[in-house]
Amino acid sequence: MSDPTEANGSTGAAEAAETGGSAGGGAGGRQVRVVLVDDHRMFRTGVQAEIGRTEETGVEVVGEAADVDQAVTVITATRPEVVLLDVHLPGGGGVEVLRRCAPLMADAERPVRFLALSVSDAAEDVIGVIRGGARGYVTKTITGADLVDSVFRVQDGDAVFSPRLAGFVLDAFASTDAPPVDEDLDRLTQREREVLRLIARGYAYKEIAKQLFISVKTVESHVSAVLRKLQLSNRHELTRWATARRLV
């Protein structure tokens, strides 16, 4: 699909919306209409190839988007049952998509439900999108079969999390104290935070580039920006800084 905001199979999607799903497909004949929101086209293509075989999985991908504005447009136009939402997006991130789609989530008859799908497993990312209204959060290490299962569970209204991430949410909502503000960390963009965590975990630049679907040169630029903003000299100091803040 050349235009990430273009809806897929609009006629079939409208029929499925009117009938509550088409015959055939996976999950015992059930079908779920899904929109993919991620700023990496290659990743969207991979997810669609993995789960979008409707006759086998029951998942029909009806649209894609690469940033916040595109996401709101295509979600509003297609009214999917489930949106697979990346946390870090141009235009304000997944939280901004959730904020602008709040009326769709609140629709009692045809609610649009959101499942975060991100490379990040940071507590603040998980908590942020759950507070915003997402029904779950899974990381991009998930298998295709488990992702399909998670999509259907979210469609049913269940909460779905990758292992250990649920603990972040339980701890956050059990606490009455607001999380402390880290002014140093707030200087970094979401992408710079992702690179920071992976550097601190010992990943090489090539490994980070592969995991984040960006070039090695872009990784180097992000690392330079992080070191400059935090007034650090090298990746060893950066690792100590991240470890002290429990970001690793």
Side-chain angles (χ1 to χ4, degrees):
M1 180 170 48
S2 58
D3 182 355
T5 66
E6 181 181 351
N8 297 334
S10 58
T11 301
E15 292 175 352
E18 291 176 358
T19 62
S22 62
R30 293 178 58 195
Q31 188 163 317
V32 57
R33 299 168 64 252
V34 171
V35 164
L36 305 178
V37 180
D38 193 287
D39 60 340
H40 295 109
R41 185 174 56 141
M42 289 180 61
F43 181 76
R44 296 197 311 269
T45 300
V47 171
Q48 176 151 359
E50 185 71 25
I51 73 171
R53 304 182 306 276
T54 308
E55 291 301 318
E56 300 175 28
T57 65
V59 175
E60 180 188 4
V61 178
V62 297
E64 300 180 15
D67 61 32
V68 170
D69 288 341
Q70 291 174 357
V72 174
T73 297
V74 74
I75 293 166
T76 302
T78 60
R79 296 296 295 265
E81 283 84 37
V82 177
V83 177
L84 289 176
L85 179 68
D86 192 11
V87 175
H88 303 144
L89 295 166
V95 172
E96 178 64 12
V97 176
L98 291 164
R99 185 188 69 80
R100 291 168 60 178
C101 290
L104 301 180
M105 289 189 283
D107 189 321
E109 295 185 2
R110 292 176 56 198
V112 176
R113 295 190 168 103
F114 287 78
L115 173 62
L117 175 62
S118 176
V119 68
S120 171
D121 60 359
E124 63 265 29
D125 289 336
V126 178
I127 295 165
V129 294
I130 297 304
R131 288 192 187 278
R135 295 294 306 174
Y137 193 116
V138 295
T139 61
K140 291 180 178 179
T141 57
I142 193 171
T143 66
D146 285 343
L147 183 56
V148 170
D149 179 66
S150 297
V151 166
F152 276 103
R153 288 173 60 192
V154 167
Q155 181 191 27
D156 289 337
D158 293 342
V160 180
F161 295 92
S162 289
R164 96 182 183 89
L165 299 189
F168 295 156
V169 179
L170 292 173
D171 291 345
F173 284 89
S175 173
T176 57
D177 297 327
V181 175
D182 190 323
E183 294 182 359
D184 290 331
L185 190 61
D186 285 347
R187 294 192 184 101
L188 306 182
T189 66
Q190 292 289 354
R191 180 63 82 196
E192 288 167 353
R193 295 185 193 190
E194 288 180 328
V195 172
L196 163 66
R197 291 188 186 95
L198 293 174
I199 285 288
R201 291 173 184 173
Y203 284 74
Y205 285 5
K206 288 184 178 179
E207 294 172 322
I208 296 173
K210 182 177 180 181
Q211 185 159 346
L212 298 182
F213 298 94
I214 58 180
S215 69
V216 173
K217 186 175 180 179
T218 301
V219 174
E220 292 173 349
S221 297
H222 285 315
V223 172
S224 296
V226 170
L227 293 175
R228 183 182 70 256
K229 290 179 180 180
L230 299 181
Q231 298 182 354
L232 301 174
S233 301
N234 52 56
R235 65 181 298 163
H236 300 295
E237 291 184 2
L238 187 152
T239 299
R240 289 197 296 270
W241 187 93
T243 300
R245 286 162 174 77
R246 299 181 180 180
L247 299 177
V248 182

